[in-house]
Amino acid sequence: MINLLNKVVLITGGSRGIGAAVAVMMAKAGATVALTYSQHKSEAHKVAHRVAEIGSECLIIKSDAADPADVRRAVNAALDHFGKIDILVNNAGVWKRGAIGSMTEHQWDETMDINLKGTFLFCNAVVPIMKKQRSGRIINVASTAGQRGEPFYSHYAASKGGVIAFTKAIAAELAPHNILVNCVSPGWVETDMTSHVLRKGKEVRAINKGIPRGRVASADEIAGPVVFLASDLANHVVGAVLNVNGGSVLFG
Ligand code: NAD
């Protein structure tokens, strides 16, 4: 029922984790994929290989989401190669611990620059293309931290709260142009980002207790809602914060 044939999707941070799962699922739905990554080159190539096995093309672009020139270069590379960008998934992000009182400006800036400014930079570069096309979908990856805060990750929480507010603002601004903007808001997801916490049995049991579903999500379980928001099934969904957290945080 979900059909993304002839659609071109640009995914930031697609070399592993949620971004990689989105790339593969988008390809299964028929889309052609461009993905960016900052590190993990060999993993990015593995994702491209999986996409090719499904029968779709995958362009890999090394690009730092926090660097304006790099972002422009990545968007131009995808546009030059495929001739259009139908769907943008702002997924690139970092989650690094930092206690308030001893957090350095560098720690703060790094997280804000990748998670929030990176989302702005990609939207700013892609929206003119989508306006010309008179259609587009943008899906931003937020976090429960942006809804309820997260102790020892205040910079991360602020960046994701910013992503949510930014999503709502541009969703209303761009809907008249037939560009639909939404975000997914995952809770705990099993990826390389969280593996250092989720490999500890005691901590996992405590985390699972806080999730009515009783367990953390897989990357595929986040990719599904992203693909849904990119599809015609979501034609009237604008500015939504789609909770994908097993019931742990129930803010809209
Ligand atoms: P991950 O660390 O496995 O993957 C992150 C991806 O982002 C990688 O492809 C990496 O190369 C890319 N990236 C990092 N910095 C970048 C930069 N400067 N420029 C370009 N790409 C960069 O993490 P993940 O768990 O897959 O997280 C993906 C998104 O989901 C992030 O935005 C994260 O904040 C969000 N999220 C994750 C969880 C979780 O529990 N894993 C929960 C809520 C939200």
Side-chain angles (χ1 to χ4, degrees), residues 85-128:
I85 299 171
D86 298 297
I87 304 158
L88 168 66
V89 180
N90 282 303
N91 164 79
V94 289
W95 180 66
K96 296 186 180 180
R97 191 181 167 94
I100 197 67
S102 60
M103 192 186 299
T104 63
E105 272 187 59
H106 171 75
Q107 283 176 293
W108 176 269
D109 288 343
E110 182 191 27
T111 294
M112 295 301 281
D113 283 355
I114 296 171
N115 296 7
L116 180 56
K117 191 170 130 193
T119 299
F120 151 71
L121 289 173
F122 268 97
C123 289
N124 216 30
V126 167
V127 161

Side-chain angles (χ1 to χ4, degrees), residues 212-226:
R213 194 91 165 84
R215 59 170 180 78
V216 305
S218 68
D220 277 348
E221 286 172 324
I222 312 304
V226 171

